[in-house]
Amino acid sequence: MLNDLKTVDTITGQIRRRRKLCKFLFFIEIQPQDQLTPNSQIFFRSDDHSLDDTAFQDAYRASRPGHVVQVQVAEPHDPTEQIGKPYKVWQSNKPIHIIVPYTDRESFPQDPPLGSTGKKPTQLIELASGEKKLKSDLVCKYWINKNPCERGVQCLFQHPEGLDFEKAKIKWLQERERNRKIATHNPEDPHTSKKPHGLRAIIFAEWIKRTFATELEKGLKSYHNSTLENKSVVLDVAGGKGEISYVLGRGFGIPSTVIEPVKRKLPNYWFTRLRRLMYRFETGTMEQPDWKSKEIQIDLMSWPSNVTPNYLHTLLDDQFLLDHADLVDSVSLFIGLHSDQATIPIVDAALKAGKAFAVVPCCVFSHDNRTRRLKSGELVTTTEQQIQYICEKDTMGRGDIKTAYLDFEGKNVVVYWIPNQN
């Protein structure tokens, strides 16, 4: 049950600053329209049950810096929020009404934090590893990405140019990758030295071949015995250009159909790149081989199999299941690798058809899918929650939905289901 707040005032003004402190708390600093009332801070939070997850997300999306808004405010649930702050602090659990939206293409130049006027900016910054460094020893993240830094000459970080910029860019990317690995480290993941992200399609395809060996063997037998024109063994949903399907077919001889709304170009260099990635996977080398070697060039001229995927440029929805009933009936497996909005439809379609599935969730799109909630009632907003949401699906007693880790960088948890045969 939500804890209500008693509205004591309504503030109309421009949002001069916004900051999200954590998953359940953010604040805005607002400049009233009358220009006479001092700026104040308004915070929104869901951990005290003054807002649910949906309302919290709506408030955050509506509070873009630069917007002129109207907000109903109340005294904070926790009176200590005001202690030690020379400006007024409010709390709100009401919808933010946008009066005049900020529509400039350039980001709104946010004000310094309230109460910071006259204070010398801190020279230290804490990295993801916990190490503290001087800002003057680090490169400005806006500058290094070739975006204008709104602080200009007042920025405490470095703004290198020329050759120094190129060197700093390489170093910055390396440090960011190291910090990302520290931040995303999962002690339950058995893979300590993971393969490059570029090999993900091949690693996933090889895992599919091993994990669903029985289903694929039955599917291949049925495929070769079938007289249907519209048939396959695997449905690769939101498969893009079809990397996984191409590896399944040309690498392992498994027929696959790619379901992808947008028709993608398949230039020659794409096939060359894919064959080279497959070669690296086959030989177990993560280093770049000598592609000019005659022996390697001979190996690259052919694939183990001549099976190529089919393509259907459409969406996977209820209408698809009706229009392509023969195809759905013929397949043994639904798959999706980082298939974004198609991830849950893949799972639902496979469960409805009684077919095995394997998906690797990535983006959640919680704002577009407010009905997706865990059994606890919590809104699905993270990849981890989406994995749990899939695992909580009702299989009608046909076996448990399981998870495993794939050996590549990035989002690498695969959620899969093999229906009981009885």
Side-chain angles (χ1 to χ4, degrees), residues 111-142:
D111 289 349
L114 283 177
S116 64
T117 306
K119 294 183 180 179
K120 188 176 181 180
T122 177
Q123 303 289 324
L124 291 174
I125 187 171
E126 186 172 342
L127 305 180
S129 61
E131 180 185 4
K132 291 185 178 181
K133 282 192 173 185
L134 288 171
K135 292 180 178 178
S136 58
D137 291 338
L138 302 172
V139 177
C140 172
K141 64 180 181 181
Y142 300 105

Side-chain angles (χ1 to χ4, degrees), residues 18-35:
R18 178 184 67 176
R19 185 179 180 191
K20 193 171 187 177
L21 298 178
C22 57
K23 181 182 176 181
F24 52 77
L25 174 64
F26 80 90
F27 66 80
I28 59 174
E29 293 173 359
I30 192 167
Q31 181 181 67
Q33 277 188 324
D34 59 17
Q35 302 289 321

Side-chain angles (χ1 to χ4, degrees), residues 14 26 146-147 193 232 284 318 335 382 411 421:
Q14 186 179 47
F26 80 90
K146 298 186 177 180
N147 293 318
S193 181
S232 192
D318 290 339
I335 64 171
T382 68
K411 299 294 184 181
Q421 299 302 315

Side-chain angles (χ1 to χ4, degrees), residues 258-277:
V258 180
I259 311 299
E260 171 58 49
V262 180
K263 187 175 183 179
R264 308 291 183 91
K265 292 182 179 180
L266 303 178
N268 289 333
Y269 70 80
W270 179 78
F271 292 100
T272 301
R273 170 186 168 275
L274 192 58
R275 184 65 187 96
R276 286 182 173 183
L277 287 174

Side-chain angles (χ1 to χ4, degrees), residues 47 72 76 90 196 220-221 282 295 315 347 357 366 392 414:
D47 63 323
Q72 295 181 43
W90 302 102
L220 282 169
K221 184 177 180 180
E282 290 170 338
E295 291 79 8
L315 291 170
V347 173
F357 70 78
S366 59
E392 290 180 355
V414 55

Side-chain angles (χ1 to χ4, degrees), residues 146-256:
K146 298 186 177 180
N147 293 318
C149 175
E150 61 188 38
R151 295 182 181 274
V153 295
Q154 296 181 346
C155 181
L156 298 178
F157 295 92
Q158 298 176 11
H159 287 188
E161 296 182 351
L163 185 59
D164 289 337
F165 175 87
E166 299 302 327
K167 292 179 179 178
K169 177 79 171 183
I170 294 173
K171 182 180 178 181
W172 183 82
L173 288 172
Q174 291 173 340
E175 289 180 350
R176 189 178 72 164
E177 180 64 15
R178 283 196 295 270
N179 291 334
R180 185 191 66 78
K181 289 182 178 180
I182 293 172
T184 60
H185 173 67
N186 184 349
E188 297 181 2
D189 188 344
H191 306 293
T192 55
S193 181
K194 300 175 186 175
K195 295 180 176 61
H197 191 71
L199 288 173
R200 59 180 181 162
I202 297 173
I203 293 170
F204 188 35
E206 195 274 336
W207 180 88
I208 288 170
K209 176 176 172 287
R210 286 187 288 106
T211 306
F212 297 92
T214 302
E215 288 69 29
L216 295 175
E217 182 180 356
K218 292 180 180 178
L220 282 169
K221 184 177 180 180
S222 176
Y223 177 86
H224 291 302
N225 290 335
S226 175
T227 58
L228 292 174
E229 181 179 346
N230 195 15
K231 61 182 179 179
S232 192
V233 176
V234 175
L235 273 190
D236 180 8
V237 184
K241 293 180 179 179
E243 283 194 3
I244 302 172
S245 291
Y246 209 85
V247 174
L248 286 172
R250 298 303 299 272
F252 307 130
I254 302 170
S256 181

